[in-house]
Amino acid sequence: MKAATQVITGSRSLQRAMNELEVAESGSCALLAVYDVASQLLRVACLGDSRAVLGRRKAEGSWEAVPLSTDQTGYNEEEVARLQAEHPGEPEIIKNGRLLGLAVTRAFGDMR
């Protein structure tokens, strides 16, 4: 057990390592899809680390996955452009594909 604790903590205290792990493992996401029968329109909203995908059967019987949302991360060029436009003069807003250290660019809640 002591050897395993050393691997996890390195030079950090066990309490500090646990606190860092807690933040890394916490988070929230939301995904909502609403289908309007009258207009035959499917509306999808997602927030956080989630992705909407529709499974659809083709005419010949095989299945296909149809993406209904785009990833909201610092690796999505459109999302990066949106953030840079909203935060002029802040060139470090996205660094290594992360927004201020977070993997997602749209989120809710408080990580602390």
Side-chain angles (χ1 to χ4, degrees):
M1 181 68 169
K2 189 173 183 179
T5 302
Q6 275 299 96
V7 169
I8 293 170
T9 63
S11 62
R12 300 168 295 185
S13 72
L14 180 58
Q15 185 60 48
R16 181 169 176 195
M18 295 302 289
N19 288 344
E20 290 173 4
L21 182 62
E22 182 178 291
V23 171
E25 293 297 316
S26 66
S28 300
C29 66
L31 181 60
L32 174 69
V34 177
Y35 180 70
D36 181 358
V37 178
S39 66
Q40 295 186 334
L41 183 65
L42 176 66
R43 296 183 188 270
V44 176
C46 67
L47 184 66
D49 196 7
S50 59
R51 180 182 292 172
V53 180
L54 173 72
R56 181 169 57 189
R57 184 173 240 163
K58 295 181 180 181
E60 80 277 358
S62 68
W63 287 87
E64 69 177 329
V66 180
L68 299 178
S69 63
T70 56
D71 290 345
Q72 299 166 348
T73 70
Y75 294 107
N76 177 336
E77 292 179 12
E78 290 179 8
E79 193 70 357
V80 171
R82 181 188 69 83
L83 288 164
Q84 289 171 336
E86 289 183 10
H87 298 273
E90 297 180 55
E92 297 283 319
I93 191 112
I94 298 283
K95 189 173 182 179
N96 298 324
R98 298 176 82 82
L99 170 66
L100 303 174
L102 297 174
V104 294
T105 56
R106 301 182 195 203
F108 64 98
D110 187 355
M111 69 178 211
R112 294 186 187 155

